[in-house]
Amino acid sequence: SIYPNPTSEVLNISLSNNDLPDGYRIYSMLGQTLSQEVISTFSDLSVNTANLSNGMYFIQITKEGNTVSLPFIKK
């Protein structure tokens, strides 16, 4: 899961266990990739969204070839 939603500066990825995902990708409603990062430490679970314009986005979290996409709002 992700929190807080809506977010203003930092979006946190919450894990159900301590197994880190491989990475994440933030993309717009039009499917344009805006940022993509590899997750290597727990500090990488805090995503800086300050540079995004206000609006709706998706974050796609990947782990061992499996992905989940979650919507979030930048305000």
Side-chain angles (χ1 to χ4, degrees), residues 1-4 7 10-14 43 45-47 49 59 61:
S1 65
I2 53 176
Y3 67 93
T7 184
V10 176
L11 183 69
N12 297 295
I13 301 170
S14 175
S43 65
L45 296 176
S46 293
V47 180
T49 62
I59 184 165
I61 303 167

Side-chain angles (χ1 to χ4, degrees), residues 48-59:
N48 183 353
T49 62
N51 61 337
L52 297 175
S53 299
N54 292 353
M56 178 124 178
Y57 298 91
F58 292 91
I59 184 165

Side-chain angles (χ1 to χ4, degrees), residues 4-46:
N5 192 7
T7 184
S8 57
E9 291 188 20
V10 176
L11 183 69
N12 297 295
I13 301 170
S14 175
L15 305 175
S16 58
N17 54 29
N18 285 336
D19 196 15
L20 283 174
D22 298 327
Y24 67 84
R25 176 175 77 102
I26 295 177
Y27 59 98
S28 69
M29 295 286 290
L30 300 175
Q32 298 167 310
T33 299
L34 304 173
S35 70
Q36 192 166 343
E37 298 292 332
V38 172
I39 297 174
S40 54
T41 65
F42 284 98
S43 65
D44 293 335
L45 296 176
S46 293

